[in-house]
Amino acid sequence: MFDTTRRRVLDGLNRRYIYGRLPLLHTIIFLIEMAVTMRLASKFNSYYAEKPVLTTMVTNAVLGGIADTVAQTITAIKARRSQRSDRSGNDFISIEIHELDKEKPPALGELGYAKNRPPPFDFERLTRFMAYGFFMAPIQFQWFKFLSRAFPITKRSATVPALKRVAADQLMFAPIGLVCFFTFMTVAEGGGRRALLRKFQDVYLPTLKANFILWPAVQILNFRVVPIQFQIPFVSTVGIAWTAYLSLTNSSEDE
């Protein structure tokens, strides 16, 4: 009974769009995640002082969830527009006019049901991304501590050690991190060796190239300016866009 009610509620939320464009359920989940993030941000120093690794793990998980929610929202919006375009065969403005001719438009801000709606919000996928961020955080934590010890930054010598940290991070940790990501996601999705090999053949190298475009500049700023306790949260915050890209890449390959 409870399961049936829950599915009906979720199905109803998945069918509703704000202004006919923004998926309601995705928006609700995003706002909840942002509320949790703001709570973590306000208490981060005290949490970190007591339990640094656990605090980093929870922060990573929440930010990973935000990234996947953003990715799923982008996919839903694109699918919604594509379906409207397929139905009308015209541009976006003509779509609106075409639909207004057929049915009474909702009032400003009214929630309207989606027809031929995109796939519903994937909670299992969200859980996978949050789990990956959670379990990857201790490895990142130890890696950043190693970099700080191996290449200490001082007032007299700051730029060169920071560049060494970036080089080590991008040449050693980044390739291995992507291997861990695609392996974890494929296994968590129930894929076997064949699915994993296909994913590495199709998306690993393009993703690694994209990594080398974005992250060196981010990590130079991170290692040069950001205090060590904020380095992983900073990377995870900037990584919302990156993880959303990974989520889209991973899901597109699955499809």
Side-chain angles (χ1 to χ4, degrees):
M1 181 67 179
F2 174 77
D3 187 61
T4 302
T5 303
R6 179 181 61 84
R7 278 187 288 180
R8 285 181 178 177
V9 171
L10 290 177
D11 185 64
L13 291 174
N14 274 309
R15 289 175 178 272
R16 291 185 177 274
Y17 279 69
I18 302 173
Y19 294 102
R21 297 174 178 82
L22 189 64
L24 174 62
L25 183 57
H26 296 61
T27 305
I28 293 173
I29 293 170
F30 177 78
L31 292 176
I32 293 172
E33 291 168 341
M34 290 303 299
V36 174
T37 302
M38 296 302 294
R39 173 66 178 176
L40 282 173
S42 65
K43 300 288 186 178
F44 183 83
N45 284 331
S46 59
Y47 292 157
Y48 190 90
E50 294 178 4
K51 297 181 179 180
V53 177
L54 181 60
T55 301
T56 304
M57 293 171 73
V58 173
T59 303
N60 246 24
V62 173
L63 293 175
I66 291 175
D68 183 63
T69 302
V70 170
Q72 292 200 49
T73 303
I74 293 172
T75 301
I77 292 173
K78 289 172 66 177
R80 174 78 163 155
R81 289 180 177 177
S82 177
Q83 288 170 356
R84 288 187 170 190
S85 179
D86 291 342
R87 288 201 303 269
S88 68
N90 297 314
D91 59 20
F92 187 76
I93 296 177
S94 64
I95 291 169
E96 296 298 317
I97 297 175
H98 177 73
E99 291 186 351
L100 288 176
D101 289 338
K102 289 188 174 182
E103 59 185 8
K104 182 180 178 180
L108 184 62
E110 182 180 346
L111 301 175
Y113 277 101
K115 296 180 180 180
N116 300 321
R117 57 192 173 91
F121 189 89
D122 191 340
F123 286 95
E124 291 184 1
R125 173 175 149 180
L126 174 68
T127 302
R128 288 194 295 269
F129 270 84
M130 294 186 71
Y132 176 79
F134 186 82
F135 291 118
M136 196 67 181
I139 300 174
Q140 290 178 300
F141 185 85
Q142 296 300 326
W143 173 250
F144 277 56
K145 285 183 66 176
F146 165 75
L147 290 179
S148 66
R149 291 194 305 266
F151 309 107
I153 293 177
T154 63
K155 292 182 178 180
R156 293 184 177 181
S157 179
T159 302
V160 173
L163 292 175
K164 289 180 179 179
R165 290 188 189 186
V166 172
D169 182 71
Q170 293 302 299
L171 296 177
M172 296 172 61
F173 191 82
I176 297 174
L178 287 179
V179 170
C180 293
F181 172 79
F182 286 120
T183 301
F184 180 91
M185 290 299 167
T186 303
V187 173
E189 291 161 2
R193 182 181 300 178
R194 183 176 299 178
L196 184 60
L197 289 175
R198 185 172 64 248
K199 189 163 289 188
F200 280 119
Q201 290 172 354
D202 293 344
V203 300
Y204 179 77
L205 287 179
T207 306
L208 186 60
K209 291 178 182 178
N211 173 90
F212 290 149
I213 292 174
L214 171 67
W215 283 106
V218 173
Q219 291 291 47
I220 288 175
L221 177 63
N222 189 32
F223 293 135
R224 183 68 177 82
V225 177
V226 181
I228 188 170
Q229 71 268 27
F230 296 116
Q231 286 180 357
I232 295 179
F234 175 78
V235 166
S236 298
T237 302
V238 176
I240 288 176
W242 172 248
T243 308
Y245 166 76
L246 290 179
S247 179
L248 292 169
T249 301
N250 186 69
S251 62
S252 66
E253 173 61 18
D254 293 336
E255 293 169 3

